[in-house]
Amino acid sequence: MKMINHTLGAAAIAAAGVLASGTASAQNVKIGVIETLSGPQAASGLMYRTAARYAVDRINALGGWNGQPVQLVEYDNQGGPTGAADKLKTAISDGVHLIVQGASSAVGGQLTEDVRKHNLRNPGKEIVYLNVGAEALELTGEKCHFHHFRFSGNAQVRTKALVQAMKSAGALGSRVYAINQNYSWGQDMEKATVDNAAPGGYEVVEKTLHDVNRIQDFAPYVAKIGAAKADTVITGNWSNDLLLLMKATRAAGLKTRFGTIFLDQPGNIANAGDLAVGHFIAHTFNAEAGGAEGEKFVNDYRTRTGSAPVATDPQTVFGLLMVGDALGRVKPEGGKFNVNAFARALETTKISTPNGEISMRADDHQALLPLVVSTVSKEARYKVDNTDMGFKPVKLFSAQEAATPAQASCKMQRPS
């Protein structure tokens, strides 16, 4: 664990210094990132950390909170719910007010329940969980609560956009195979694929759930896809489970098109090569769809972090910029930061991004965000993974177009 106060250059330091004068007695807001920051599974966690550092830099460049810089504290959860639970206890002991996490719905489920229980037992010492990537539906459904906010998508909104765009492009077909990892996220994706069959005009010819990141040979699954005569495979698979599935499809000579959620994870396009051309993805940001503002964001992010914002980076940045907006509308109470007042401000937050407006829905604390459906193409403006391919926008959905209703199972209870 280490404490970090990032700023964006001399101007930011000067601004923070001016604003801090006369407010030294005010409390600092502390944001804690609880992610996998070491070991073989650290790649995703490190991306969330980089994006959080960039966003906190921007918040501090605008004065932080009440003239004091926001402090970013980092905790290594070592890859699982148990480690995350332990690090949450440490963060609470360190006086952290806001927790950021995204790289696993299993970890997210642990953290949201631990945060809920802590807040019930410690009125006046509440903390907020800022969910920037754990997309299991239950987190804004039966497990929703006042101190949890999600800034990424979920299976229903992503699949809805994916199906609509692929159908409009004439790339969906009438026979769809659903294959997913067997845990909450994969189960949500399977259900979303079934739910969108009627509006998409397709039949789900078969559904498969498999172990997570344990399958080395997807040939038997590909044989099933071929036997089902599927036009399209819709999958929420990520990492090797997506790459190996696509490779096995090519090896079998199938020309089945893929509709994906995580094809933009770093390394996927480089590893897949030309196999990926023509496949689709529903993602939370596409710089080409954002025009001049998209290019400006990419250039600034690359300058300050050394890499372009891809995969989960943009949603993390935009989510924390919403946090910064809410912080600007919360005043100290006796020199201290009121977490419940912050949460109420965050419920009403709206910001503009290169792809459109993002707002927070108070009913279930699910961010309403624009989604872009793209196809892998050599004609894309922005290339990825040092290849000649990138993600060419097919359709940009506004937040309102992409949204699905709040789940009836969310019974939001607000502090009196």
Side-chain angles (χ1 to χ4, degrees):
M1 179 195 79
K2 62 179 179 178
M3 195 78 70
I4 297 171
N5 288 310
H6 294 282
T7 55
L8 293 177
I13 295 171
V18 170
L19 286 167
S21 62
T23 61
S25 61
Q27 183 181 33
N28 288 93
V29 170
K30 292 183 179 181
I31 298 178
V33 175
I34 299 180
E35 279 295 352
T36 306
L37 303 178
S38 62
Q41 303 299 321
S44 294
L46 292 171
M47 289 181 66
Y48 283 109
R49 182 182 72 175
T50 297
R53 287 179 173 183
Y54 172 87
V56 169
D57 283 348
R58 289 187 57 173
I59 292 171
N60 284 335
L62 296 174
W65 179 69
N66 194 44
Q68 296 292 321
V70 171
Q71 294 180 335
L72 185 65
V73 193
E74 300 169 0
Y75 303 89
D76 186 352
N77 68 29
Q78 298 178 329
T82 301
D86 290 341
K87 294 304 182 183
L88 177 62
K89 293 176 183 176
T90 303
I92 292 170
S93 178
D94 291 342
V96 167
H97 305 97
L98 313 175
I99 295 296
V100 178
Q101 181 272 338
S104 164
S105 287
V107 172
Q110 178 76 52
L111 285 177
T112 196
E113 183 63 9
D114 288 352
V115 166
R116 186 187 68 83
K117 289 179 179 177
H118 166 82
N119 292 346
L120 287 174
R121 296 165 180 164
N122 298 274
K125 297 180 180 180
E126 293 85 357
I127 56 176
V128 164
Y129 169 31
L130 306 170
N131 175 359
V132 292
E135 299 200 5
L137 282 166
E138 64 182 7
L139 300 179
T140 49
E142 58 266 30
K143 290 187 176 181
C144 80
H145 61 86
F146 179 72
H147 296 97
H148 166 271
F149 293 83
R150 176 156 58 200
F151 300 94
S152 62
N154 59 54
Q156 289 289 344
V157 298
R158 288 187 186 262
T159 305
K160 172 188 170 184
L162 186 65
V163 166
Q164 288 186 13
M166 291 183 71
K167 181 180 180 181
S168 297
L172 184 59
S174 61
R175 299 176 63 82
V176 168
Y177 195 109
I179 180 168
N180 292 283
Q181 296 149 317
N182 193 13
Y183 74 116
S184 56
W185 162 252
Q187 293 159 13
D188 287 346
M189 277 297 300
E190 180 177 275
K191 183 177 185 303
T193 302
V194 172
D195 290 346
N196 281 277
Y202 59 81
E203 173 191 2
V204 179
V205 293
E206 193 163 342
K207 300 175 292 183
T208 294
L209 294 171
H210 63 79
D211 291 341
V212 182
N213 287 330
R214 292 182 179 179
I215 310 298
Q216 297 301 314
D217 181 9
F218 276 87
Y221 298 97
V222 170
K224 290 184 178 181
I225 295 170
K229 298 181 180 179
D231 301 309
T232 297
V233 172
I234 292 182
T235 179
N237 280 15
W238 45 270
S239 190
N240 275 349
D241 283 344
L242 176 59
L243 179 63
L244 294 177
L245 175 60
M246 290 192 301
K247 286 188 172 182
T249 303
R250 180 173 67 174
L254 293 182
K255 297 182 179 180
T256 307
R257 183 174 288 108
F258 279 78
T260 74
I261 307 301
F262 296 119
L263 190 55
D264 59 352
Q265 290 179 321
N268 273 356
I269 299 301
N271 288 330
D274 287 350
L275 166 66
V277 172
H279 292 334
F280 284 73
I281 179 173
H283 46 180
T284 56
F285 177 74
N286 181 303
E288 186 171 343
E293 288 300 310
E295 181 177 12
K296 181 179 178 182
F297 171 52
V298 168
N299 289 341
D300 187 66
Y301 194 91
R302 181 184 286 115
T303 296
R304 304 196 182 281
T305 70
S307 60
V310 296
T312 58
D313 294 336
Q315 67 199 37
T316 303
V317 170
F318 300 146
L320 290 180
L321 293 182
M322 293 179 74
V323 168
D325 179 273
L327 287 174
R329 292 182 282 118
V330 176
K331 302 302 180 186
E333 297 182 12
K336 295 185 177 181
F337 178 61
N338 186 319
V339 170
N340 287 341
F342 163 79
R344 291 190 180 93
L346 190 54
E347 285 189 314
T348 63
T349 297
K350 297 180 180 180
I351 67 166
S352 295
T353 77
N355 286 165
E357 183 181 85
I358 301 177
S359 62
M360 181 56 64
R361 183 165 62 192
D363 290 346
D364 58 352
H365 291 184
Q366 168 66 55
L368 303 180
L369 65 168
L371 286 177
V372 186
V373 175
S374 307
T375 188
V376 179
S377 171
K378 295 185 178 183
E379 297 179 0
R381 179 176 179 184
Y382 297 93
K383 312 303 183 183
V384 299
D385 289 350
N386 295 314
T387 71
D388 61 351
M389 296 171 285
F391 296 98
K392 186 74 177 175
V394 174
K395 184 172 177 60
L396 171 61
F397 293 86
S398 70
Q400 290 69 33
E401 291 170 334
T404 58
Q407 298 169 75
S409 57
C410 176
K411 309 297 182 184
M412 185 67 68
Q413 300 292 323
R414 290 178 173 79
S416 59

